[in-house]
């Protein structure tokens, strides 16, 4: 009887661990797909690839920020994409800071550094539909790029 209980316990543990592994595999796959969408945005803006931006964004997305005059600025996503000329690289370096998702909804944060100008923090809302993740909303803020003091030679 003890042997039967041990075997039952082992089978239960194995079943649970397989279920957990499946969840982790699914989570890793979704994170990979969200990351791919965000990289279309990051690399598309850096390398002048409007088609990659269109892959990342839902066609009806808008961008939101607060102006220096403390008012809300809303821009059309298509207008934003039209600012990037094919093949024209820009001096921007982006990185993904965080991703959180549940089922078919995700939020993500990225930082874009434009040397000698700004550091932009992007917040994204993504939804998965028709089999792929799309950015449906982008809110952002920025701060000036830090100026480093240069030493002068004294006489």
């Amino acid at each position: 009887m003890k042997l039967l209980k041990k075997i039952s316990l082992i089978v239960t543990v194995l079943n649970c661990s397989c279920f957990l592994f499946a969840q982790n595999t699914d989570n890793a796959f979704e994170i990979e797909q969200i990351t791919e969408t965000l990289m279309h945005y990051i690399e598309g803006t850096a390398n002048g690839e409007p088609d990659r931006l269109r892959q990342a964004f839902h066609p009806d997305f808008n961008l939101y920020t607060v102006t220096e005059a403390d008012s809300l600025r809303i821009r059309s996503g298509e207008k934003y994409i039209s600012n990037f000329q094919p093949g024209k690289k820009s001096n921007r370096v982006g990185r993904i800071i965080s991703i959180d998702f549940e089922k078919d909804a995700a939020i993500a944060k990225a930082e874009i550094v434009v040397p000698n100008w700004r550091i932009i923090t992007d917040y994204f809302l993504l939804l998965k539909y028709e089999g792929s993740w799309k950015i449906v909303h982008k809110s952002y803020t920025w701060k000036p790029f830090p100026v480093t003091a240069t030493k002068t030679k004294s006489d």
Side-chain angles (χ1 to χ4, degrees), residues 34-36 38-39 42 94-99 108-111:
I34 294 166
T35 298
E36 181 180 327
L38 295 171
M39 292 309 294
I42 290 170
R95 69 184 179 104
I96 299 168
I97 294 173
S98 65
I99 297 172
K109 179 179 179 181
E111 179 182 78

Side-chain angles (χ1 to χ4, degrees), residues 80-97:
Y80 173 75
I81 291 172
S82 73
N83 291 328
F84 296 93
Q85 302 306 312
K88 185 176 179 188
K89 295 184 184 263
S90 62
N91 191 15
R92 316 166 39 109
V93 178
R95 69 184 179 104
I96 299 168
I97 294 173

Side-chain angles (χ1 to χ4, degrees), residues 108-110 121-125 135 137-141:
K109 179 179 179 181
T121 302
D122 290 326
Y123 295 93
F124 303 100
L125 174 61
I135 299 168
H137 174 99
K138 175 185 166 186
S139 293
Y140 66 97
T141 190

Side-chain angles (χ1 to χ4, degrees), residues 62-85:
N62 288 316
L63 297 86
Y64 301 84
T65 193
V66 176
T67 68
E68 290 182 21
D70 198 29
S71 65
L72 183 64
R73 179 179 182 205
I74 303 170
R75 293 190 318 172
S76 148
E78 191 53 44
K79 176 114 173 107
Y80 173 75
I81 291 172
S82 73
N83 291 328
F84 296 93
Q85 302 306 312

Side-chain angles (χ1 to χ4, degrees), residues 13-63:
V13 168
L14 288 174
N15 282 340
C16 289
S17 63
C18 289
F19 175 71
L20 291 174
F21 178 74
Q23 282 186 327
N24 289 339
T25 302
D26 290 345
N27 286 350
F29 176 77
E30 296 301 336
I31 294 293
E32 181 182 312
Q33 296 301 304
I34 294 166
T35 298
E36 181 180 327
T37 297
L38 295 171
M39 292 309 294
H40 283 313
Y41 159 70
I42 290 170
E43 293 175 359
T45 56
N47 297 317
E49 298 174 294
D51 289 338
R52 283 190 79 181
L53 295 175
R54 285 185 185 90
Q55 280 184 280
F57 291 114
H58 182 275
D60 296 326
F61 93 100
N62 288 316
L63 297 86

